[in-house]
C-alpha cells in the first residue's frame, strides 16, 4: 500500500485584511508583562449573585434543552416590556424580538440577512472591529465615513454625501465604542430626516444603552426605538453581557419590525439556531427587578469620575466620557510615539494596557488618542492610576 502523505489544501481567504485583533494583542502583552489590563472592555468584578442563582435555579428545574429558535417567550416578553417602558415603542415579543448569542452574532446576522453582493453599508469610523468584516463576508462594500476627529460627533453632511442608490444600510453606535460619545436627540432627528426619503436600513448598536452619564445635565440614551421614522427601518441590537457584567455569557437581542425580523430569523436559525436555555430563563427572572439596569449609570459614573480624577494629575488630555465604560485620552503631551507604539510602550514600561484608536479605523488614522476601560474594581483602577502617575 502506498503511504498517504499529509496534504492540507491552500485556502483563499475571505478576509485578507483581517489578522489578530488588537484586543488579543494587547491582552496577551498585558499578561506577559504583568500589566493592569485597561485595554479589553470587560469587568474584572463579579455579577450579582442573584443573577447566578436565577440561572442555577433554571438548570435545576430541568430547563436545559433546546429553547424556541426565537428565544424563550418569557425573556422576549421581558425585553418588549422594557423597551416600551423606557422608549415608548411597543414591540410584539412573538414577531419582533429575537434572542441572540450576544450582540456580535446579532450584528453579523443582520448584515447577512439584508446585504447582497455589491450593496453598500455606511460605517462611522472609528467603529467596532466586527462591522467591516461582517459586511465583506456578505459580499457588501463598507463605505467609511469619519466621525469628526476630536469630538467624534456625527458629520451629517458627510453621511448625506455617502448615501447612494447602492446604500443598503448604515450602522450607528451610541453610546459609542471607542470614543464614549453619546448621540443627542437632535442627532437622531437629523439622521431620521436624512434617511426618510430613502430605503436605507438602520443597524443601531446600543449595547452600552444603560451607561449614559450626567443625567442631571439632561443626557439620556436616545434609542432608535424612540423615533418612529428610525424604528420603522431599524434593527436595534443590545446585550445583557454589558448590562449585567456577564460578557462571557454572550446573550443579546434584536428588536425590529416584523417584516425585518422575519428575514433576520431566516439567517439566525442557520447561524446559531438557539441560545443558552437556562441563561435565558435566569435573565427573564432577573429582569423582573428594573433596579440593576436603572442603577447602572450611577454605578459606572462613579468609576468614571474616580478614574478621571486620578488621570487629572498626569499629562494626558482627557476627552469627554459621556457614556459606555471607556475613557479616551490625548497622548500628545506625554509621548511622540504613535498610538500603537505608545500602547505597547505603556504596557511594557509603565504596566498599564490601553487600546489605540487607530485600530478602529480602516486606514489606521492616528490622532494621538488611546482608550482605557474603567469597568474594573476600584483597587484595579487605583493600581493603574498609581502607575500612570509616573507620567
Amino acid at each position: 500500500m502506498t503511504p498517504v502523505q499529509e496534504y492540507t489544501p491552500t485556502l483563499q481567504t475571505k478576509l485578507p485584511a483581517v489578522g489578530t485583533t488588537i484586543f488579543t494583542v494587547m491582552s496577551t502583552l498585558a499578561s506577559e508583562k504583568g500589566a493592569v489590563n485597561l485595554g479589553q472592555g470587560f469587568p474584572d468584578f463579579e455579577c450579582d449573585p442573584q443573577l447566578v442563582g436565577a440561572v442555577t435555579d433554571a438548570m435545576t428545574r430541568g430547563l436545559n434543552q433546546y429553547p424556541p429558535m426565537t428565544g424563550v417567550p418569557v425573556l422576549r416578553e421581558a425585553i418588549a416590556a422594557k423597551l416600551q417602558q423606557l422608549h415608548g415603542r411597543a414591540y410584539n415579543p412573538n414577531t419582533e424580538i429575537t434572542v441572540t448569542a450576544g450582540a456580535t452574532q446579532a450584528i453579523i446576522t443582520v448584515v447577512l440577512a439584508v446585504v447582497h453582493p455589491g450593496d453598500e453599508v455606511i460605517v462611522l469610523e472609528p467603529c467596532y472591529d466586527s462591522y467591516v468584516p461582517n459586511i465583506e463576508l456578505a459580499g457588501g462594500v463598507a463605505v467609511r465615513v469619519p466621525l469628526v476627529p476630536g469630538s467624534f460627533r456625527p458629520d451629517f453632511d458627510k453621511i448625506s454625501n455617502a448615501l447612494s442608490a447602492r446604500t443598503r444600510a448604515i450602522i450607528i453606535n451610541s453610546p459609542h465604542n471607542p470614543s464614549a460619545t453619546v448621540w443627542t436627540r437632535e442627532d437622531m432627528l437629523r439622521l431620521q430626516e436624512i434617511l426618510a426619503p430613502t430605503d436605507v436600513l438602520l443597524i443601531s448598536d446600543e449595547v452600552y444603552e444603560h451607561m449614559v452619564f450626567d443625567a442631571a445635565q439632561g443626557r439620556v440614551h436616545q434609542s432608535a426605538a424612540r423615533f418612529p421614522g428610525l424604528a420603522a427601518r431599524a434593527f436595534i441590537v443590545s446585550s445583557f453581557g454589558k448590562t449585567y457584567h456577564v460578557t462571557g455569557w454572550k446573550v443579546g437581542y434584536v428588536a425590529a419590525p416584523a417584516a425585518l425580523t422575519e428575514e433576520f430569523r431566516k439567517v439566525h436559525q442557520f447561524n446559531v439556531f438557539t441560545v443558552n436555555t437556562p441563561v435565558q430563563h435566569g435573565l427573564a427572572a432577573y429582569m423582573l427587578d428594573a433596579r440593576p439596569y436603572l442603577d447602572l449609570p450611577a454605578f459606572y459614573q462613579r468609576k468614571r469620575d474616580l478614574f478621571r480624577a486620578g488621570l487629572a494629575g498626569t499629562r494626558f488630555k482627557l476627552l469627554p466620557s459621556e457614556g459606555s465604560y471607556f475613557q479616551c485620552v490625548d497622548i500628545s503631551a506625554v509621548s511622540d510615539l504613535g498610538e500603537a507604539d505608545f500602547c505597547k510602550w505603556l504596557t511594557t514600561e509603565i504596566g498599564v494596557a490601553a487600546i489605540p484608536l487607530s485600530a478602529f479605523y480602516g486606514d489606521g488614522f492616528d490622532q494621538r488618542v488611546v482608550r482605557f476601560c474603567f469597568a474594573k474594581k476600584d483597587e484595579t483602577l487605583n493600581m493603574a492610576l498609581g502607575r500612570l502617575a509616573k507620567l
Side-chain angles (χ1 to χ4, degrees), residues 47-52 54 244 281-290 292:
C47 68
D48 187 343
Q50 292 188 24
L51 177 55
V52 175
Y244 292 140
H281 283 282
L283 287 167
Y286 192 68
M287 286 181 72
L288 292 174
D289 182 0

Side-chain angles (χ1 to χ4, degrees), residues 344-365:
K344 292 175 183 176
W345 174 84
L346 189 71
T347 304
T348 301
E349 301 299 329
I350 305 300
V352 179
I355 297 291
L357 250 66
S358 55
F360 297 85
Y361 287 88
D363 62 359
F365 175 51

Side-chain angles (χ1 to χ4, degrees), residues 49-371:
Q50 292 188 24
L51 177 55
V52 175
V55 174
T56 302
D57 179 67
M59 290 181 178
T60 57
R61 288 192 291 125
L63 299 171
N64 299 302
Q65 306 308 321
Y66 289 132
M69 177 267 290
T70 57
V72 299
V74 67
L75 181 56
R76 286 186 279 113
E77 290 163 6
I79 293 166
K82 188 185 84 164
L83 288 169
Q84 182 159 25
Q85 179 182 10
L86 294 181
H87 307 307
R89 186 168 184 90
Y91 285 91
N92 185 316
N94 295 320
T95 60
E96 298 182 317
I97 303 288
T98 309
V99 179
T100 64
T104 302
Q105 180 257 317
I107 292 168
I108 191 172
T109 302
V110 173
V111 172
L112 291 173
V114 305
V115 175
H116 296 262
D119 284 351
E120 295 179 351
V121 180
I122 295 173
V123 297
L124 307 179
E125 289 191 316
C127 64
Y128 184 61
D129 64 350
S130 80
Y131 297 168
V132 171
N134 291 176
I135 295 162
E136 293 174 346
L137 285 170
V141 178
V143 177
R144 302 170 187 267
V145 175
L147 297 167
V148 178
S151 70
F152 302 100
R153 308 304 316 176
D155 186 327
F156 290 105
D157 288 337
K158 289 186 177 179
I159 293 172
S160 294
N161 291 336
L163 292 170
S164 75
R166 295 183 298 277
T167 306
R168 192 73 195 102
I170 178 172
I171 304 177
I172 68 171
N173 174 211
S174 177
H176 185 243
N177 176 18
S179 74
T181 56
V182 173
W183 282 39
T184 65
R185 173 176 170 79
E186 290 71 27
D187 291 333
M188 299 298 283
L189 287 171
R190 183 69 194 282
L191 181 66
Q192 180 173 253
E193 178 185 10
I194 289 171
L195 297 184
T198 76
D199 289 328
V200 174
L201 297 167
L202 173 62
I203 304 171
S204 186
D205 181 350
E206 304 184 13
V207 298
Y208 298 101
E209 60 178 321
H210 297 299
M211 301 171 206
V212 176
F213 310 134
D214 305 312
Q217 300 175 19
R219 187 175 292 129
V220 297
H221 172 55
Q222 299 292 344
S223 173
R226 294 185 172 208
F227 303 88
L230 295 178
R233 66 177 72 230
F235 294 90
I236 296 172
V237 178
S238 193
S239 165
F240 294 107
K242 301 294 191 299
T243 300
Y244 292 140
H245 318 309
V246 287
T247 58
W249 288 11
K250 299 297 294 178
V251 180
Y253 62 85
V254 170
L260 302 184
T261 295
E262 182 178 4
E263 290 304 309
F264 174 85
R265 289 175 175 177
K266 288 180 182 179
V267 177
H268 173 77
Q269 68 182 336
F270 296 115
N271 187 329
V272 295
F273 181 52
T274 60
V275 176
N276 189 303
T277 301
V279 167
Q280 288 193 61
H281 283 282
L283 287 167
Y286 192 68
M287 286 181 72
L288 292 174
D289 182 0
R291 286 176 298 176
Y293 59 79
L294 294 179
D295 291 345
L296 199 63
F299 173 82
Y300 273 121
Q301 183 168 332
R302 189 191 64 78
K303 289 187 176 294
R304 179 202 68 172
D305 293 348
L306 182 155
F307 191 54
R308 286 176 66 87
L311 290 176
T314 71
R315 288 178 292 154
F316 288 126
K317 177 184 175 182
L318 302 183
L319 278 62
S321 177
E322 300 172 345
S324 78
Y325 45 47
F326 302 116
Q327 174 65 58
C328 290
V329 299
D330 188 311
I331 65 172
S332 299
V334 178
S335 172
D336 293 329
L337 294 172
E339 293 172 3
D341 287 339
F342 175 80
C343 286
K344 292 175 183 176
W345 174 84
L346 189 71
T347 304
T348 301
E349 301 299 329
I350 305 300
V352 179
I355 297 291
L357 250 66
S358 55
F360 297 85
Y361 287 88
D363 62 359
F365 175 51
D366 191 321
Q367 54 200 310
R368 316 299 306 289
V369 175
V370 304
R371 188 199 79 178

Side-chain angles (χ1 to χ4, degrees), residues 363-382:
D363 62 359
F365 175 51
D366 191 321
Q367 54 200 310
R368 316 299 306 289
V369 175
V370 304
R371 188 199 79 178
F372 293 110
C373 172
F374 55 79
K376 308 297 178 182
K377 299 173 185 174
D378 287 3
E379 50 264 45
T380 303
L381 295 176
N382 286 325

